[in-house]
Amino acid sequence: SAPQDLDLQILETVMGQLNASRIREDLRELSREPHLATSPRDEDLVQLLLQRWRDPESGLDSAEAPKYEVLLSFPSQEQPNLVHVVGPTGDIIYSCRQTEENLTGEQGGPDVVQPYAAYAPPGAPQGLLVYANRGSEEDFKELQTQGIKLEGTIALTRYGGVGRVAKAVNAAKHGVAGVLVYTDPADINDGLSSPSETFPNSWYLPPSGVERGSYYEYFGDPLTPYLPAIPSSFRLGLANVSGFPPIPTQPIGFQDARDLLCNLNGTLAPATWQGALGCSYRLGPGFRPDGDFPADSQVNVSVHNRLELRNSSNVLGIIRGAVEPGEPSCHSPRPRLLLCSGCHCHCILIQPCPHHPHPSCPAHLSLFSGSLPFFLWPDRYVLYGNHRDSWVHGAVDPSSGTAVLLELSRVLGTLLKKGTWRPRRSIVFASWGAEEFGLIGSTEFTEEFFNKLQERTVAYINVDISVFANATLRVQGTPPVQSVVFSATKEIRSPGPGDLSIYDNWIRYFNRSSPVYGLVPSLGSLGAGSDYAPFIHFLGISSMDLAYTYDRSKTSARIYPTYHTAFDTFDYVDKFLDPGFSSHQAVAQTAGSVILRLSDSFFLPLNISDYSETLHNFLQAAQQDLGALLEQHSISLGPLVTAVEKFDAEAAALGGRISTLQKGSPDPLQVRMLNDQLMLLERTFLNPRAFPEERYYSHVLWAPRTGSVATFPGLSNACSRARDTAPGSEAWAEVQRQLSIVVMALEGAAATLRPVADL
Amino acid sequence: SAPQDLDLQILETVMGQLNASRIREDLRELSREPHLATSPRDEDLVQLLLQRWRDPESGLDSAEAPKYEVLLSFPSQEQPNLVHVVGPTGDIIYSCRQTEENLTGEQGGPDVVQPYAAYAPPGAPQGLLVYANRGSEEDFKELQTQGIKLEGTIALTRYGGVGRVAKAVNAAKHGVAGVLVYTDPADINDGLSSPSETFPNSWYLPPSGVERGSYYEYFGDPLTPYLPAIPSSFRLGLANVSGFPPIPTQPIGFQDARDLLCNLNGTLAPATWQGALGCSYRLGPGFRPDGDFPADSQVNVSVHNRLELRNSSNVLGIIRGAVEPGEPSCHSPRPRLLLCSGCHCHCILIQPCPHHPHPSCPAHLSLFSGSLPFFLWPDRYVLYGNHRDSWVHGAVDPSSGTAVLLELSRVLGTLLKKGTWRPRRSIVFASWGAEEFGLIGSTEFTEEFFNKLQERTVAYINVDISVFANATLRVQGTPPVQSVVFSATKEIRSPGPGDLSIYDNWIRYFNRSSPVYGLVPSLGSLGAGSDYAPFIHFLGISSMDLAYTYDRSKTSARIYPTYHTAFDTFDYVDKFLDPGFSSHQAVAQTAGSVILRLSDSFFLPLNISDYSETLHNFLQAAQQDLGALLEQHSISLGPLVTAVEKFDAEAAALGGRISTLQKGSPDPLQVRMLNDQLMLLERTFLNPRAFPEERYYSHVLWAPRTGSVATFPGLSNACSRARDTAPGSEAWAEVQRQLSIVVMALEGAAATLRPVADL
Ligand SMILES: [Ca+2]
Ligand SMILES: [Ca+2]
Ligand SMILES: [Zn+2]
Ligand SMILES: [Zn+2]
Ligand SMILES: [Zn+2]
Ligand SMILES: [Zn+2]
């Protein structure tokens, strides 16, 4: 890209000023107290963020904290959720812990919310216990195959495999009355489970630790789909809300799970169902006669969760893109002229003329106010966000991300307030509320400002948990963001040993062989794990999620072990996850560089041609794994092949036009037009009518794929459903419809990439 | 607006060159033969358009004619549709005409398609005749109330009141077996019906004239909703197509209708059901014993229409917006400097400095290639279109519009080819195919290029029938187009007597009292009567439809009398509708001026503040006519009031910012940003999830209103449905949901009007 566009000196300054110690201090403050969504401490942090972003010396141009009225779910303080073993005479003979063990003095406070399954309905089912592995549909079918009567039982399941709510949904389909969920040490602790081996003695989850979480199936406020949850908005009646767990559900620690599971009766569970609790897992139903509980004992799950309408705040801070040529972005250290000093001052870049390398054609010129524009695009937004709410102290989730957010905004805010810098495009920082309940703050924001954001947003960058572990960068994103992340990470030193760039370190852990570039770090795709979901799936905005994460060769932990427990504290991060905070700093630098490149480059650093690889992978999978089947049903992939080829050709041609312009001195309006083509490409993949049953999911390339073939999700899912139906069925018609939807999207996308005045 | 932006000299040239005689000659050629959609003559006209638009001296930059494969409906040539009276013994004792009488030598050709109801199913129902007025739901209820058994009858209905297909749908609900439709002389001929009083002796419809038409309920190709009808697209199975008439239906002339209707038995029809056939209309069932037919005679309606997949062409021609400052748009007659003649040539407007009225601060400057941009926006499109297909010769519908299209493109093309002019924004001319079957060509085009058009289109201008009658201009459009039409029409002389502008003439026929402007011509709103429908309702593009039309004080004709008949010929136009073609010229001038203003003005001449009046009218109607009812159900209009006020304020503030900039010398990027706000405003009213059951209709302000209160359609319709349901019903929940949808749209619209870098 043209050397004069992104100011490398500013970039260097920002990289140098992002400070690990400051991130550490911010994290200490952010995670000092539990800050569950809408709690007083959550609101204190809203004020902290506002204060930082309004600071006269290091703040942003403006900040505000709009609220939404949203439906959350909390356990009752008066009636805690309980899990008991009830003997044949009705006596309680065993009780699971109601809270986690107070190991560091931080697990005992009144603000530590009891472990619970948010949105699980109240109730007190009681029945024989069965073990249902991860609670997938296959798991319950296996139990059925084994002849186990599930009606009225309580199913003990372990985290992982399927989503939280799916366990309860699948269980209920088989007549199960209540669900328990625990984290098996095999899945999170590399098999370790004794107190001496776990936090605070290591990073592993203590025996009493319980993963909290939202058990809501969709995202956004449950009462206001597609409408912002402002007070006046229409709200669904509770009877019309779908997506909550159908039966009472409660998470427990593996210490309690061991007491239940190791006493089960019945057949030995399959090998893949075994875990690390130190006993052979049996399926039940009920306890074995020679165990700790009488054989007829049942398990009672008493859930007293309550739904409550609460006010949740987002905090939004903005650095306005430059509007006037006289603004700071103009003052970069390049030769310029001041014109017409008697009027307004204007500066203009002097570049070598491609035809006359030595300037030789001066013109005598009178210039007056306002006629020399720059490359200024305040109506283009770079969005950067993370949630603020935690389950307990949330040092890792989400405060490790929030600390990075604060440090980034401090460094950029300081340059801004000093008058050293102002971006070409506007930068919006967001601290989302109530993410833990289902990406609620971010989703409501996208609902409220749907059009404005869709029209103007260049990209959304999400940094939730900034450091899971300190081995390598991990990036999820849509193909166009690959190039900017690569550019950024090649220029930043990796925090680990050796003198590697983040990029060179990254490629050692996650890589793939690209037909275009050879071996490159591989990006993951975006599911719905954090606040990027509404941006990519509902709005079609190119998005990415950045974090530092594991060396998979050193641990098999499903996620960092204290995730969503009361043991996710500052000390945990400081001692085990990222001592010295160099990984936090690395993420801050990566994010900072990405932000600057997106906000300040003349040409948007989104390489849309990188979508071609995805399309070819999808196409190849369709051809190899579905081609024969489709042919049997007289469905041709030919139009899809043509559409992919058309996309390739137009994307490459557009790239060529940009390269040519970059060599010359492009006109700001030409750059703007091309940038609009780049920015809006992702939007062309959005079709709100493609998957009417999938709430919010409108992106025809990234909607959830339940079908087994790794191709276009609509096609894959439709084929899975049609596979066992007769030729000519409605399901096969839907396959054809989904194929046409993809072809239309790709043809439409290619059409937007053509020279703008062509038909 | 700034005097230097739109080139008034070019405008004057265009106005002067639009030539009535040329329009007349083009109309003669266009209407020389019948050109039913996809007929050989229709394809000949495709070639004619291509030839004109590719002409080296008066053509456009490029033109092409893409085809769609669409489902049309035609009568059988071997088995014509027949309407008989069948006597008690089964004898045919009377037959309606199969074709119109050959009065001018033009009604007899093989290419004159038999009158038919397109998409009516084949069948030969036979039964007693009833008269059902206009075939509305109320009309059939009235017959029921009168105790008339409708089961198995044939219903004779007259055009008007409800849409074509509604007559058959309503009839079928009551068990009617077949439907006849005719045009009553009271509705079209000011009561006149004798051959001496009708064409070719006057403009009135001859007794044998029959209105053809599409009886499809939706628009677009029936087999490919939301997908372009390219060959590879998924097509619905016929069993899954909805919107076709449920029973055989056939239109007839009033001569035949008189023979049937004046012989009916039964009760006298209500006064409002009476027409001008010269007898008292009775309801039936069956014929009166003392009439022309035996009392037990039945009517047989034999329909042999066939559905056929046909290739229909659109013709698209483009004048590319200027890309390089050196292109013609730069050569306007204002002082400018050529810079750096050794490199590229650039011109720059010299304007007085607001601070130093006498230029006094020259700067010595070296400027090189490409750094002085102009106001050039080739990626913004002004769309102008009309359909090409007719039912028969279609001199009025649509060739009067096509002749205007050809003349406009000739004049602009000539300036273009001479190098005198090139627009700032791109202009796309379209000749749509298969409109008569349901806006098919235009709808498929919007489906194929949905994103590209939504992102970039400034406005869509439709001129279908350009002259219904020669009294006054008639404009339908969304509020933002009012200003540009007013500006254009104030500067053009009206063709009538006196020295009035089109505007001053127009205001005498259609006017309203605006709280902002006082007495102004009133614009109608856009239904789905022509090809603007997909642009406004499906894409949310500001649209307008222009025509010259009646003096309502001189005729009560429902539409021009020969509409969709074989009598809509060149002579008809030349002798009766617009002798001298001055009204055609007036429409061409109006459209030409609107196109130039939209394509060449620095600031888009779309006054978005004019939406405020609509919003206040809707709001007032809601308050007055629904307020009390809503209050009873605890639904507050408060948030709607706030949203409307917010819209007002933001629209006014944006208008203020534009005015301020216009006084100075605005930066092209600033202008572009503001123009994007103007252009995209209409898009913010689009919500594809607002009315899922209404195909294509997504505009929350202009979707079809079936409710009685003239307010926001979603609210009006939901209230109509909820009115008689219990408090707390789902219908009342829908009222609240619709209210929230409007509030969200208005709040979202206001948000896009704020200064772009504000939150
Ligand atoms: Ca919502
Ligand atoms: Ca279609
Ligand atoms: Zn998180
Ligand atoms: Zn979390
Ligand atoms: Zn027409
Ligand atoms: Zn027509």
Side-chain angles (χ1 to χ4, degrees), chain A residues 3 5 22 57 82 92 111 113 126 143-144 164 212 246 263 395 427 472 480 487 495 512 553 559 568 587 658:
Chain A
D5 57 2
R22 283 181 181 270
E57 284 172 9
L82 299 171
I92 293 174
D111 297 336
V113 72
Q126 183 172 317
L143 290 175
Q144 217 172 16
R164 296 188 188 102
R212 294 153 185 79
N263 278 301
I427 300 172
T472 175
S487 303
R512 66 185 180 92
S553 71
I559 190 168
D568 178 353
V587 172
I658 290 174

Side-chain angles (χ1 to χ4, degrees), chain B residues 164 387 389 391 397-398 435-436 464-465 529 560 563-564:
Chain B
R164 296 187 189 101
H387 66 103
D389 65 306
W391 282 114
D397 181 12
E435 187 266 3
E436 292 294 7
D464 181 340
I465 296 166
Y560 72 96
Y563 172 69
H564 287 193

Side-chain angles (χ1 to χ4, degrees), chain A residues 462-603:
Chain A
N462 197 67
V463 178
D464 181 340
I465 296 166
S466 68
V467 178
F468 289 86
N470 57 11
T472 175
L473 187 70
R474 187 275 286 134
V475 180
Q476 299 167 338
T478 58
V481 311
Q482 174 180 281
S483 53
V484 65
V485 177
F486 283 3
S487 303
T489 52
K490 281 175 182 170
E491 305 291 328
I492 306 168
R493 256 204 74 209
S494 160
D499 191 20
L500 293 176
S501 68
I502 289 182
Y503 179 95
D504 287 333
N505 181 61
W506 179 19
I507 204 171
R508 293 163 55 209
Y509 292 89
F510 298 101
N511 60 61
R512 66 185 180 92
S513 184
S514 152
V516 182
Y517 305 107
L519 197 75
V520 288
S522 74
L523 273 68
S525 58
L526 294 164
S530 188
D531 293 299
Y532 51 75
F535 291 94
I536 180 61
H537 297 300
F538 182 42
L539 270 62
I541 290 168
S542 295
S543 299
M544 70 191 88
D545 184 83
L546 308 175
Y548 242 69
T549 192
Y550 306 105
D551 181 349
R552 279 274 161 224
S553 71
K554 299 219 173 111
T555 175
S556 67
R558 191 171 59 82
I559 190 168
Y560 73 96
T562 64
Y563 172 70
H564 286 193
T565 74
F567 303 107
D568 178 353
T569 59
F570 177 75
D571 283 347
Y572 183 77
V573 178
D574 199 39
K575 285 203 189 120
F576 300 112
L577 230 57
D578 190 23
F581 282 74
S582 56
S583 295
H584 281 77
Q585 188 185 34
V587 172
Q589 288 173 328
T590 302
S593 178
V594 166
I595 292 173
L596 279 176
R597 287 164 195 273
L598 285 167
S599 65
D600 283 5
S601 302
F602 285 178
F603 284 97

Side-chain angles (χ1 to χ4, degrees), chain A residues 342-354:
Chain A
C343 304
H344 290 164
C345 96
H346 289 295
C347 40
I348 178 163
L349 293 177
I350 302 297
Q351 300 166 347
C353 168

Side-chain angles (χ1 to χ4, degrees), chain A residues 387 397-398 435-436 464-465:
Chain A
H387 67 102
D397 180 11
E435 187 267 3
E436 292 294 8
D464 181 340
I465 296 166

Side-chain angles (χ1 to χ4, degrees), chain A residues 697-709:
Chain A
Y697 288 102
S698 312
H699 199 300
V700 302
L701 301 178
W702 304 117
R705 189 171 56 74
T706 51
S708 53
V709 178

